[in-house]
Amino acid sequence: MLKLKVNNIDTEVEEGLTVLQACEKAGVEIPKFCYHEKLSIAGNCRMCLVEIEKSPKPIASCAMPAADGMNIKTNTSFVEKARKGVMEFLLANHPLDCPICDQGGECDLQDQSMFYGIDKSRYKENKRAVPEKNMGPLIKTQMTRCIHCTRCIRFATEVAGVPELGAIGRGENMEITTYLEKSMESELSANVIDLCPVGALTSKPYVFEARPWDLKKTETIDVMDAVGSNIRVDTYGWEVKRILPRINEDINEEWISDKTRYACDGLLNQRLDTPFIKYKNGKFDKASWKEVYNIIKEKIKSTESTKICGFTGDLINMETLYMFKEFFNKSLNSKNLESRSNHVYLNPEKRENYLFNSSINGIEESDFIFLIGTNPRFEATILNARIRKSYLKNKTEIISLNNIGDLTYPYKKLEGNIDTIKEIINDQHAVSAKIKEAKKPIIIFGQSALESKFGKYIFESIKFYLIKNKKISDDWNSLNTISENASTVGSLDLGIYKTKDGSNEVLSDLENHKYEIVYLLGQDSLKFKKQNEFIIYQGSHGDEGAEIADVILPGSAYTEQNGYFTNLEGKLQKAYKASYPPGEAKEDWQIINELSEIINNKKIFNDKAELDNSMLNYLNLFKENNLSKKYSELANLSFESEKIIIKDNDYYYSNSIARASKTMSNCRNEKINLKSTGTEG
């Protein structure tokens, strides 16, 4: 520990900290623009000047290492004069257009100028003018406001791994640009908006929409992927205006993906706001809740319970999933429930079989990563950023069974054949030695590997190889699966599946047209040819599920109801209601409860609190029982030589909300245009 003084108060801090960090540890706030704890030190802005005893001039605290015996002063007239000089310099070329700037009310420069600004500048020269830059459909530029802090450049290079953002020119003539003036080729690009301390980089879809003090702010959870990023939803009335990240060092740090941030405009489009009935002419007509409930009741009463099945979708909270299961078990007397929309292999015997067991934060501790049938850049963008961070921090070796293009970090590519898996488990491959030698290896399975014809062989053989070599233990579990969507782990924890050997029995029966009634709960990904099935669709958007439905029940989106979600590493997090459903739409659990009352004259639960308690008790009991289970060995696993194909991931159209988003559509088109010009690698 270092012993030093901050404003004449004795303080102890850890070794390796800068003067700025030492001051913050002592509870003294230092103004800054270029410094950010997640980025490298630049020392550009000089706003963080402090006085250090025996130093003849002010010191940039962000770049000066703290030393034993230092006497740091942050509130002297000397420091104040120095900071005022820096602020005057920063504002010399600034347009001072706060009334029309979207950063107004959230601007670091605006805040600091209140403390260190002066009423009249000594600079009489003409202000510079910098033309706007094209950075794609997400980032609006006003580069005349730029103070050259270079946060955006360092983020793009260090975190996002796309070094196409940089600076040209020097001094006053320096300009931040993407060189070719095209979109940043990163799914994290819009984080530069949060990092920009002035209004140089702002949100293009949000431009002139609202002021921050007009918005209601709700802290909640993202559902665009299975990571469970912590977010803040800002609403005006019932409209979601923007989504911003919240800090959670264990999950998303302080970043979110572009889809998480901008798919929210899809909440306003293609919404189901009233019940619908499809008539014989194939057209939908509006109906009352009573009408649709009675139609469903008559249909269910005249159908055997074995002929009824249900599928749950991507964005459903756990209370609704639990309610859906109780409805099928108690009201319909049916076990034909499934959360998988494809033939992906599943072994639900032990919870660890479908979790990311090493944890997102644990990626930084890993010394070897092996990717099997996954593209983490598109399947879990924030998780991929952690892998990049691990590579930069620890020089972690990364090997992929497949060539999956640019992951923003270097990796070794293998053939992608299942024969390679056999060689690894038989200790006939170089990867075998790397797994054995590594202290904390991470093996990551993607949905493409599990969806393979021999997904069972791939998963189970590698799992037992890890068990045999003691890479699965209480201290470290190397077995990891990237879940497909936000509801995957929660659905499996609640037992919403039907399988004996890992296959999807309900989907197979559906494809063979063994069911008469199909209840789709927010499920828009099923690929089957409808024949005579009566389809009930409950959801928030008029997407693929609603198109084939006979009856539509308008539900709520994830921002319009309270609910729990379990992320890919098994963490239970609560999402909070930020808005309310449009028109006659209701919360999903309420619809199922009312439908149960219509059919059986009895509600499943009296209120939401009773539902929450019942579900949490079920989960606690499930986890407790699961901990005592041991991995059971599977014998006679067979395979044929087959190349694992990474399925196309339409990143910007991955769910019904994203498909309804105009911004996601613009991003998708931009991506297509980049490929067509040959400028993308």
Side-chain angles (χ1 to χ4, degrees):
M1 299 290 283
L2 300 175
K3 293 183 178 180
L4 46 82
K5 288 184 178 181
V6 178
N7 297 331
N8 295 317
I9 298 171
D10 291 327
T11 306
E12 286 191 11
V13 299
E14 299 90 351
E15 291 187 28
L17 297 185
T18 62
V19 170
L20 187 149
Q21 291 170 321
C23 290
E24 289 185 342
K25 287 274 186 182
V28 177
E29 188 176 347
I30 305 289
K32 52 189 178 290
F33 293 121
C34 69
Y35 174 80
H36 193 278
E37 61 182 7
K38 298 292 183 185
L39 305 174
S40 59
I41 294 169
N44 292 337
C45 73
R46 290 341 230 197
M47 196 65 209
C48 64
L49 294 175
V50 296
E51 183 181 355
I52 297 179
E53 197 172 70
K54 298 180 180 179
S55 175
K57 58 183 182 180
I59 301 294
S61 60
C62 69
M64 173 64 73
D68 210 37
M70 270 186 173
N71 189 0
I72 305 161
K73 297 175 183 178
T74 68
N75 55 4
T76 62
S77 58
F78 180 69
V79 170
E80 187 178 351
K81 186 180 178 181
R83 289 175 183 173
K84 281 187 174 182
V86 171
M87 179 58 68
E88 186 180 5
F89 183 72
L90 289 175
L91 294 177
N93 278 314
H94 197 276
L96 303 175
D97 57 348
C98 299
I100 62 161
C101 179
D102 255 355
Q103 195 83 350
E106 299 172 319
C107 179
D108 292 348
L109 185 65
Q110 196 177 55
D111 294 342
Q112 295 302 333
S113 67
M114 293 298 291
F115 288 95
Y116 302 104
I118 53 177
D119 59 345
K120 192 175 181 181
S121 176
R122 289 172 289 179
Y123 291 97
K124 304 297 181 185
E125 292 81 5
N126 292 330
K127 292 178 181 278
R128 65 166 187 169
V130 183
E132 284 193 38
K133 310 295 182 183
N134 175 28
M135 291 191 185
L138 303 180
I139 304 168
K140 178 178 171 59
T141 63
Q142 190 73 47
M143 302 314 292
T144 306
R145 300 171 185 157
C146 180
I147 62 171
H148 302 161
C149 71
T150 68
R151 278 186 180 182
C152 53
I153 297 174
R154 284 175 283 148
F155 172 82
T157 307
E158 296 165 15
V159 180
V162 284
E164 70 240 28
L165 187 66
I168 56 174
R170 295 186 67 185
E172 183 182 69
N173 299 316
M174 177 176 162
E175 295 181 21
I176 308 293
T177 179
T178 55
Y179 302 119
L180 298 176
E181 295 211 18
K182 61 184 180 69
S183 292
M184 287 173 63
E185 294 169 25
S186 170
E187 295 71 38
L188 296 167
S189 65
N191 286 288
V192 299
I193 297 167
D194 299 330
L195 288 170
C196 184
V198 297
L201 304 176
T202 53
S203 173
K204 191 176 280 188
Y206 176 70
V207 64
F208 304 137
E209 282 288 319
R211 289 296 194 184
W213 51 82
D214 294 328
L215 302 172
K216 176 191 169 190
K217 302 167 179 65
T218 308
E219 295 185 347
T220 185
I221 304 298
D222 171 54
V223 299
M224 290 296 120
D225 55 30
V227 173
S229 298
N230 287 217
I231 58 172
R232 193 187 85 194
V233 176
D234 290 358
T235 54
Y236 188 83
W238 87 277
E239 293 186 23
V240 175
K241 290 294 184 182
R242 65 177 182 176
I243 288 176
L244 299 175
R246 286 192 295 129
I247 296 175
N248 186 326
E249 294 294 344
D250 290 336
I251 298 176
N252 59 301
E253 298 183 285
E254 54 189 274
W255 322 121
I256 53 173
S257 70
D258 291 348
K259 184 165 59 175
T260 296
R261 188 185 297 268
Y262 285 119
C264 60
D265 66 329
L267 294 165
L268 306 176
N269 303 323
Q270 294 178 216
R271 291 302 302 270
L272 300 173
D273 58 0
T274 188
F276 286 94
I277 298 171
K278 185 186 281 183
Y279 291 95
K280 290 182 179 179
N281 60 4
K283 292 185 178 179
F284 285 103
D285 240 344
K286 291 181 181 179
S288 67
W289 280 104
K290 188 177 179 181
E291 285 178 292
V292 293
Y293 282 157
N294 284 331
I295 289 172
I296 294 170
K297 178 185 177 180
E298 293 302 316
K299 195 71 181 175
I300 287 173
K301 290 291 186 185
S302 62
T303 307
E304 292 180 27
S305 60
T306 55
K307 300 290 185 180
I308 305 172
C309 73
F311 284 87
T312 61
D314 304 351
L315 314 174
I316 311 299
N317 62 52
M318 293 184 68
E319 287 95 324
T320 304
L321 291 169
Y322 183 69
M323 174 70 85
F324 196 60
K325 182 183 178 182
E326 292 290 283
F327 173 68
F328 261 71
N329 291 348
K330 294 178 180 178
S331 300
L332 304 183
N333 195 28
S334 173
K335 303 288 185 184
N336 301 321
L337 271 177
E338 185 56 72
S339 57
R340 295 169 291 168
S341 59
N342 48 33
H343 290 285
V344 65
Y345 172 72
L346 169 67
N347 182 352
E349 181 187 43
K350 198 161 171 63
R351 193 169 185 247
E352 283 84 349
N353 286 334
Y354 53 81
L355 292 183
F356 197 92
N357 297 293
S358 302
S359 79
I360 298 169
N361 207 22
I363 293 171
E364 295 183 34
E365 302 174 34
S366 174
D367 49 357
F368 175 67
I369 298 174
F370 185 32
L371 307 174
I372 304 175
T374 180
N375 185 337
R377 180 172 175 178
F378 297 134
E379 293 171 21
T381 305
I382 296 297
L383 187 145
N384 192 65
R386 286 289 185 129
I387 297 176
R388 173 173 169 80
K389 188 177 178 181
S390 179
Y391 168 75
L392 294 174
K393 183 180 172 184
N394 307 323
K395 298 299 177 190
T396 305
E397 185 176 4
I398 304 160
I399 296 178
S400 174
L401 189 64
N402 314 78
N403 183 0
I404 42 186
D406 183 15
L407 289 178
T408 71
Y409 45 81
Y411 63 96
K412 186 180 178 182
K413 310 167 188 69
L414 303 182
E415 285 297 316
N417 202 295
I418 299 180
D419 291 306
T420 308
I421 301 290
K422 186 181 181 183
E423 289 174 13
I424 292 169
I425 64 171
N426 290 332
D427 291 326
Q428 297 170 349
H429 199 280
V431 172
S432 309
K434 293 182 186 296
I435 293 173
K436 288 180 178 180
E437 290 166 8
K439 291 180 180 177
K440 292 185 175 181
I442 287 180
I443 315 300
I444 303 176
F445 292 94
Q447 296 298 307
S448 295
L450 301 179
E451 212 175 322
S452 162
K453 185 179 176 183
F454 301 100
K456 184 175 182 177
Y457 174 84
I458 296 168
F459 181 82
E460 298 293 346
S461 59
I462 290 290
K463 181 183 77 176
F464 285 108
Y465 184 76
L466 294 174
I467 293 171
K468 186 174 73 174
N469 289 286
K470 299 179 180 177
K471 301 301 179 183
I472 296 179
S473 64
D474 294 336
D475 298 326
W476 184 261
N477 193 330
S478 299
L479 185 70
N480 300 280
T481 302
I482 292 184
S483 303
E484 200 163 19
N485 53 65
S487 296
T488 298
V489 174
S491 303
L492 301 178
D493 280 353
L494 294 170
I496 301 181
Y497 53 83
K498 187 180 179 184
T499 187
K500 290 177 183 176
D501 57 357
S503 62
N504 192 331
E505 294 179 21
V506 183
L507 182 57
S508 296
D509 288 344
L510 178 65
E511 291 168 342
N512 293 322
H513 306 287
K514 292 183 179 180
Y515 298 113
E516 294 178 12
I517 299 177
V518 182
Y519 197 145
L520 303 180
L521 180 61
Q523 176 54 260
D524 296 287
S525 306
L526 277 181
K527 306 296 181 191
F528 83 105
K529 292 182 180 179
K530 180 186 175 183
Q531 290 186 354
N532 300 314
E533 295 89 355
F534 180 82
I535 295 179
I536 306 162
Y537 178 80
Q538 179 180 328
S540 59
H541 284 71
D543 205 77
E544 293 179 19
E547 287 177 10
I548 61 171
D550 295 285
V551 171
I552 294 175
L553 308 174
S556 302
Y558 74 103
T559 56
E560 297 159 5
Q561 52 191 331
N562 295 322
Y564 288 94
F565 289 90
T566 303
N567 77 343
L568 52 76
E569 57 184 351
K571 285 183 178 174
L572 186 68
Q573 302 182 103
K574 190 166 185 179
Y576 289 94
K577 186 175 182 176
S579 180
Y580 47 88
E584 294 180 45
K586 298 179 180 181
E587 292 189 19
D588 289 313
W589 77 272
Q590 190 181 348
I591 296 171
I592 301 166
N593 212 22
E594 289 176 359
L595 190 56
S596 176
E597 188 177 20
I598 294 289
I599 295 170
N600 288 340
N601 298 316
K602 186 182 177 182
K603 291 181 177 179
I604 301 173
F605 296 103
N606 293 316
D607 52 35
K608 185 72 177 341
E610 188 182 339
L611 167 60
D612 282 2
N613 290 332
S614 181
M615 183 206 69
L616 291 171
N617 287 335
Y618 178 94
L619 283 176
N620 290 333
L621 189 63
F622 165 74
K623 290 174 185 177
E624 192 178 313
N625 292 337
N626 197 265
L627 285 170
S628 61
K629 290 183 179 178
K630 293 183 178 179
Y631 291 105
S632 59
E633 195 159 348
L634 294 174
N636 302 320
L637 290 171
S638 61
F639 78 101
E640 294 173 16
S641 185
E642 182 191 32
K643 192 172 178 69
I644 299 172
I645 307 296
I646 302 286
K647 64 178 182 180
D648 290 333
N649 189 313
D650 199 343
Y651 176 76
Y652 295 109
Y653 272 13
S654 61
N655 57 61
S656 59
I657 296 174
R659 287 190 285 271
S661 165
K662 292 179 181 178
T663 308
M664 292 295 97
S665 189
N666 291 337
C667 290
R668 189 170 181 259
N669 292 335
E670 186 83 9
K671 197 88 170 175
I672 292 168
N673 292 336
L674 281 173
K675 286 182 178 179
S676 65
T677 60
T679 55
E680 188 187 61

